[in-house]
Amino acid sequence: MLFRVDPASAVPLGDQIAGCVRGALADGSAVPGERLPAARELADSLGVNVHTVLRGYQRLREEGLIELRRGRGAVIVPGAAVQDRARLVGRVRDVLAEARGLGLTEDEILDLVRTALTG
């Protein structure tokens, strides 16, 4: 799996790291059950702080894409649905970025989502 970050980007580095994993899951280059690089190793290879990597990994855990296990590290959750979930999370993030770019507030975005869910 290839990790790339752009320090000049407005996107936080931890989110860029999470995005790399999401993208790899979505395109099939990462598979369920695969172990991610140790946070310290990845931080060293990218030239970032280990806490930055851990923030990215924590984001992926919150999204239900990886498990963090003491002694085993970060592992992509088992099951084929994780790839579909990664694609969905990526699309949701794209929609949110577009909505924020249009100047919508969080409440306006949530109202749009609620309307779509009920309509």
Side-chain angles (χ1 to χ4, degrees), residues 8-87:
S9 171
V11 177
L13 294 172
D15 289 343
Q16 291 182 48
I17 291 167
C20 290
V21 176
R22 270 188 233 103
L25 273 166
D27 71 16
S29 60
V31 295
E34 184 175 332
R35 292 182 72 174
L36 298 180
R40 188 170 314 277
E41 290 174 20
L42 184 57
D44 289 345
S45 72
L46 295 174
V48 300
N49 188 292
V50 68
H51 295 291
T52 300
V53 174
L54 291 172
R55 272 193 298 279
Y57 282 5
Q58 181 64 28
R59 170 91 50 187
L60 293 165
R61 187 188 70 73
E62 291 166 358
E63 294 170 356
L65 299 176
I66 68 168
E67 296 173 339
L68 296 173
R69 299 181 187 160
R70 192 172 296 254
R72 274 199 68 203
V75 179
I76 297 171
V77 296
V82 71
Q83 292 171 309
D84 294 332
R85 185 179 183 98
R87 279 190 289 275

Side-chain angles (χ1 to χ4, degrees), residues 93-104:
R93 290 187 162 280
D94 291 344
V95 168
L96 289 174
E98 184 177 347
R100 287 185 179 123
L102 293 171
L104 273 66

